[in-house]
Amino acid sequence: MKEDVKNQLIAEAKRSAEKAYCPYSGYAVGAAVLTEDGRIYGGCNIENASYSLTICAERVAISKAVSDGAKKFTAICIYSAGGKMPYPCGACRQFIAEFSDDAEVIVTDGKEVCETKSSKLLPCSFR
Ligand code: THU
């Protein structure tokens, strides 16, 4: 991925984190996906008083892309400055696998940046 696109993706994830609805955990997360035709969609985590209904930022960003007609993405960035690195949960790893062919995954807290691949986060995924 080109450096400028990567920076745009990180910037969108960071911007999206500002929109997080997280009154229960206080942990704001933003995610941004890069579709195979170059579009970027952002999303934030959305919590609920019935805690298990919470939707992670990754699934919100991916759902926005898919509902806009973009069913494949090549990279995803997840950002949180909430004190720990926002590695995707198991449900999000499965969701990422569904709509990508081994996407690049960038996880950052604004200081540390971890770059990996979705096949490393979820080996032998069911697709
Ligand atoms: N969360 C995400 O949005 N993405 C992650 O990768 C990790 C966790 C959210 C879910 C919940 O709103 C809060 O972070 C605390 O778990």
Side-chain angles (χ1 to χ4, degrees):
M1 195 190 339
K2 288 193 190 136
E3 203 64 22
D4 61 325
V5 177
K6 186 172 137 185
N7 288 336
Q8 280 176 42
L9 204 59
I10 293 172
E12 181 56 36
K14 194 171 178 181
R15 207 170 14 248
S16 295
E18 289 168 17
K19 308 264 170 47
Y21 177 72
C22 54
Y24 305 105
S25 73
Y27 187 68
V29 185
V33 294
L34 175 68
T35 67
E36 59 182 359
D37 60 359
R39 286 178 277 171
I40 290 177
Y41 291 89
C44 61
N45 54 332
I46 304 172
E47 298 187 343
N48 193 282
S50 179
Y51 300 157
S52 65
L53 296 182
T54 291
I55 317 171
C56 293
E58 296 91 318
R59 278 177 284 150
V60 172
I62 295 168
S63 298
K64 281 171 70 179
V66 172
S67 63
D68 206 26
K71 291 193 174 47
K72 271 264 148 64
F73 66 90
T74 56
I76 182 166
C77 174
I78 307 125
Y79 170 92
S80 179
K84 56 184 173 185
M85 288 284 274
Y87 292 108
C89 73
C92 287
R93 291 175 195 214
Q94 179 66 26
F95 217 81
I96 290 167
E98 183 74 24
F99 297 106
S100 66
D101 290 320
D102 204 9
E104 291 184 60
V105 181
I106 303 161
V107 180
T108 181
D109 61 1
K111 300 182 204 97
E112 185 184 345
V113 179
C114 168
E115 294 189 49
T116 184
K117 301 284 280 185
S118 60
S119 64
K120 256 189 113 177
L121 293 177
L122 189 69
C124 308
S125 63
F126 181 70
R127 301 182 44 171

